[in-house]
């Protein structure tokens, strides 16, 4: 599975350019429909109906993706992303790759984690172990990383 998060300047710039391009393309596509009041009202009503459906669908999809991963995995990834050695190798975080078959069980404590992190400088394969203390907080037991690709 692949999870992508913006964090790089080039990635953000690409997003802005794509948004502007899409807006211009949409303007030329919908221009004939905006000339007549009847079609303009119908287009606005359709947009106002579909926008909330798309937003709700996005939230539901994000929840389903996050719900399928154990807390130990989510917390472990966050802890590894904050590790200074990892930050030096990958730069600013962009995306995460992992195999669902390698996810730890919800009851695993300590939990072994295997995943790849991509950043602005490169890609790192990570093998780590996290454990939960008596207060319920997760902490890193060990982190092993190997640089796969450097940009």
């Amino acid at each position: 599975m692949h999870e992508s998060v913006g964090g790089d300047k080039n990635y953000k710039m690409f997003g802005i350019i794509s948004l502007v391009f899409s807006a211009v393309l949409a303007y030329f596509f919908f221009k004939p429909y905006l000339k007549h009041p009847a079609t303009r009202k119908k287009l606005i009503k359709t947009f106002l109906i579909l926008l909330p459906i798309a937003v709700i669908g996005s939230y539901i999809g994000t929840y389903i993706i996050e719900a399928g991963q154990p807390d130990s995995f989510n917390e472990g990834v966050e802890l590894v992303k904050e590790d200074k050695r990892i930050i030096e190798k990958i730069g600013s975080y962009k995306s995460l790759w992992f195999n669902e078959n390698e996810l730890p069980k919800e009851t695993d404590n300590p939990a072994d984690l295997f995943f790849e992190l991509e950043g602005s400088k490169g890609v790192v394969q990570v093998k780590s172990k996290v454990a939960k203390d008596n207060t319920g907080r997760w902490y890193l037991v060990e982190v092993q990383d190997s640089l796969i690709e450097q940009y």
Side-chain angles (χ1 to χ4, degrees):
M1 181 171 268
H2 178 262
E3 173 187 300
S4 185
V5 175
D8 186 35
K9 289 181 182 178
N10 293 335
Y11 183 80
K12 289 180 182 178
M13 183 58 76
F14 178 73
I16 292 170
I17 291 171
S18 298
L19 184 64
V20 169
F21 179 74
S22 298
V24 170
L25 192 64
Y27 171 76
F28 285 113
F29 181 75
F30 290 115
K31 188 176 179 181
Y33 300 105
L34 296 172
K35 289 182 179 180
H36 304 290
T39 56
R40 186 180 323 139
K41 286 182 181 179
K42 192 173 192 176
L43 188 64
I44 291 172
K45 283 180 184 179
T46 305
F47 176 77
L48 291 175
I49 291 170
L50 292 180
L51 180 66
I53 291 171
V55 170
I56 291 169
S58 173
Y59 280 119
I60 290 172
T62 302
Y63 175 76
I64 289 171
I65 289 171
E66 289 294 322
Q69 302 163 11
D71 289 339
S72 59
F73 182 78
N74 292 331
E75 292 294 325
V77 169
E78 291 302 319
L79 290 169
V80 170
K81 285 181 354 187
E82 294 169 2
D83 189 298
K84 291 179 183 177
R85 286 185 333 194
I86 302 294
I87 293 171
E88 287 175 7
K89 290 182 180 180
I90 68 166
S92 59
Y93 169 75
K94 286 187 357 183
S95 62
L96 163 72
W97 287 284
F98 61 91
N99 185 341
E100 287 191 26
N101 297 330
E102 294 178 347
L103 288 174
K105 296 176 185 166
E106 195 69 47
T107 57
D108 286 354
N109 187 18
D112 293 317
L113 310 177
F114 306 98
F115 55 91
E116 293 179 10
L117 291 175
E118 180 184 12
S120 57
K121 292 182 182 177
V123 180
V124 173
Q125 185 175 38
V126 179
K127 178 182 178 183
S128 65
K129 184 179 282 194
V130 293
K132 191 184 259 189
D133 62 14
N134 294 338
T135 62
R137 292 182 46 167
W138 290 96
Y139 64 93
L140 284 173
V141 175
E142 68 176 284
V143 178
Q144 299 174 3
D145 60 272
S146 57
L147 188 63
I148 294 177
E149 185 177 354
Q150 193 168 17
Y151 305 134

